Amino acid sequence: MVAARVLVAILGVVLLRDAMVGHGLFTFGTAGERPVLWLRFTSDPIQLISLSVLALAAVAGLVAAFRQRSRGMRWTADRAWLSGPVGLLGAAVIVLPFAVLYGSVPALSAALGLGDVPLDVRGGAVAAGILVPLLVFAFCAGLLVEVLFRGLLQSELEHHTTVARAALASAAFFAAGHVFLASTVTEVGWPILAFTLVEGLVCAAIAIRHGVLGSTIAHGGAIFLLTSGLV
């Protein structure tokens, strides 16, 4: 029953995210000869802060609703300070393929025969004034997703299978939660699924030893870098 309740909560968050995309609060697209994925959030700081508050409220609701599971949730590494650096490293791993495809790492992109994808065709520049609200929202939304997929789902699966299989399953569920977004809400297709699978695998691996805090930093950091136009 716990697993069923977790899946219902995940479905609710997936539906809300798809509604955000439908209302223009979250935008996906592809650019260049290769289907290079880009993403942006709304440029309204009030909307970003409001969504951040809603995400934190949802996290509080989940912790209360799953009180017993929340007590056993792995929030940090045994040495808590390690969760931050490992999370940042995870964010870099998630973002690196995008940086190479965008041409933001000229030497590596050139070595792979990849051309530059200009910023204006992959979402455009983001105003400096919304970077702080964007950063706050990226981490608040990342926390909500990671509490669901890593804190609740992955830890629940660990009661029924090995830690490695639980991590793989949580990453697969995370990617599967974007199927409707990739095929119906938008027409971006497989690049969304590829991105979310890689992101899910990195966050799941981090969560095993460095908890929800580590995976949240990886998730939120990657989303901020990609939606801010800083990559």
Side-chain angles (χ1 to χ4, degrees):
M1 290 301 296
V2 172
R5 289 168 58 208
V6 171
L7 289 175
V8 169
I10 288 173
L11 179 60
V13 170
V14 166
L15 291 174
L16 287 173
R17 182 212 57 215
D18 289 354
M20 284 175 56
V21 176
H23 286 82
L25 299 176
F26 198 5
T27 308
F28 290 86
T30 54
E33 295 180 1
R34 305 174 304 280
V36 178
L37 179 68
W38 58 265
L39 49 158
R40 291 289 185 273
F41 285 124
T42 174
S43 59
D44 185 333
I46 301 300
Q47 289 179 336
L48 289 169
I49 295 301
S50 298
L51 290 169
S52 300
V53 172
L54 289 174
L56 292 178
V59 170
L62 287 171
V63 170
F66 295 91
R67 191 174 296 108
Q68 185 174 358
R69 280 288 184 265
S70 298
R71 291 194 189 101
M73 193 182 297
R74 196 162 42 242
W75 287 99
T76 67
D78 293 335
R79 288 180 288 178
W81 66 271
L82 278 175
S83 296
V86 172
L88 292 174
L89 179 61
V93 170
I94 295 168
V95 169
L96 180 59
F98 287 88
V100 174
L101 289 170
Y102 293 161
S104 302
V105 188
L108 187 53
S109 300
L112 295 173
L114 302 175
D116 179 60
V117 180
L119 182 60
D120 59 353
V121 300
R122 49 181 175 87
V126 174
I130 71 161
L131 290 180
V132 172
L134 184 60
L135 178 66
V136 171
F137 176 61
F139 281 100
C140 290
L143 176 62
L144 173 57
V145 172
E146 291 306 309
V147 165
L148 269 173
F149 282 92
R150 256 55 72 176
L152 293 175
L153 179 61
Q154 185 168 322
S155 63
E156 174 63 22
L157 291 171
E158 287 176 6
H159 287 86
H160 306 283
T161 185
T162 64
V163 170
R165 288 178 179 174
L168 290 172
S170 79
F173 272 112
F174 179 66
H178 293 77
V179 169
F180 192 65
L181 175 65
S183 61
T184 304
V185 180
T186 71
E187 297 181 353
V188 175
W190 70 264
I192 288 180
L193 300 180
F195 163 56
T196 53
L197 180 59
V198 170
E199 184 181 34
L201 288 169
V202 171
C203 290
I206 290 173
I208 292 173
R209 291 187 177 275
H210 301 280
V212 171
L213 176 60
S215 63
T216 296
I217 292 172
H219 191 140
I223 294 300
F224 171 71
L225 289 172
L226 293 174
T227 57
S228 65
L230 296 178
V231 176

